[in-house]
Amino acid sequence: MPYLIDGHNLIPKVGLRLDSPNDELELVAILQDFARIKRQQVEVYFDGAPIGQAGSRKLGTVRAHFVRQGQTADNAIRARLVNMAKDSKNWIVVSSDREVQSAARAHHAQFVSAEEFVKMLKETRNSAPRSNTEEKRLSATEVDEWLEIFRQGRKRLG
């Protein structure tokens, strides 16, 4: 089953820091491994995107949604569930937020807490076949695109 993930809810649970400038990309890299191994679609939602940086991006095997400031990832996840209509029953929502879990339940989607999902991540990584080749992360082009996005954001903030 594909996953809808509340990104900022999951970041501290996987051992990353919310105040890190690369926390979102680090989580996406973890989710890319998970999506590749499980062969599942993953969408992750992050709120608080500065003006000009909001929007959806396909980052390897993961679709990341950056919700503009003033809006919340919780609301974006709820809206996604509404748009899915009956198809929402085929998705798993990942969040420890009770309101997000309630929305998942109301739309007949399955849900797991961030803590339970971290256990799933670890099990998936441990069960993955080992390869002699280095696993693919973000491409050089994707890294350059992200660096440019963050440079623009710093210029606006500074």
Side-chain angles (χ1 to χ4, degrees):
M1 287 185 136
Y3 294 83
L4 292 178
I5 299 174
D6 183 347
H8 286 146
N9 189 256
L10 185 58
I11 284 174
K13 308 295 189 216
V14 296
L16 300 174
R17 294 176 48 113
L18 285 167
D19 60 354
S20 168
N22 297 321
D23 60 347
E24 293 161 345
L25 288 180
E26 290 174 35
L27 179 61
V28 167
I30 292 167
L31 295 174
Q32 285 174 330
D33 285 344
F34 176 80
R36 179 185 51 77
I37 294 165
K38 296 291 269 186
R39 298 177 190 255
Q40 292 297 327
Q41 182 179 348
V42 172
E43 294 186 22
V44 61
Y45 290 78
F46 300 105
D47 42 27
I51 295 172
Q53 294 181 26
S56 298
R57 295 173 187 83
K58 184 87 168 134
L59 302 171
T61 55
V62 173
R63 177 157 300 278
H65 303 274
F66 297 90
V67 181
R68 67 182 168 91
Q69 289 178 345
Q71 302 292 316
T72 67
D74 296 0
N75 286 339
I77 291 169
R78 282 193 286 273
R80 179 76 167 107
L81 290 167
V82 168
N83 288 337
M84 283 185 210
K86 292 180 181 180
D87 288 338
S88 63
K89 70 178 184 233
N90 299 318
W91 287 72
I92 299 171
V93 176
V94 177
S95 180
S96 292
D97 184 293
R98 293 191 195 284
E99 289 182 23
V100 174
Q101 289 178 354
S102 178
R105 189 178 305 109
H107 293 281
H108 307 287
Q110 295 182 34
F111 64 88
V112 296
S113 69
E115 295 81 4
E116 281 298 313
F117 187 73
V118 169
K119 291 177 189 174
M120 293 169 59
L121 283 173
K122 289 177 182 176
E123 289 170 7
T124 300
R125 280 188 157 175
N126 291 338
S127 69
R130 300 292 176 218
S131 170
N132 290 338
T133 60
E134 185 175 320
E135 293 180 19
K136 185 175 186 285
R137 301 278 189 218
L138 293 176
S139 70
T141 303
E142 289 170 312
V143 170
D144 289 340
E145 289 173 357
W146 276 107
L147 289 172
E148 184 58 33
I149 288 169
F150 287 118
R151 274 191 220 106
Q152 291 172 1
R154 285 194 181 125
K155 287 178 187 174
R156 288 188 185 116
L157 294 174

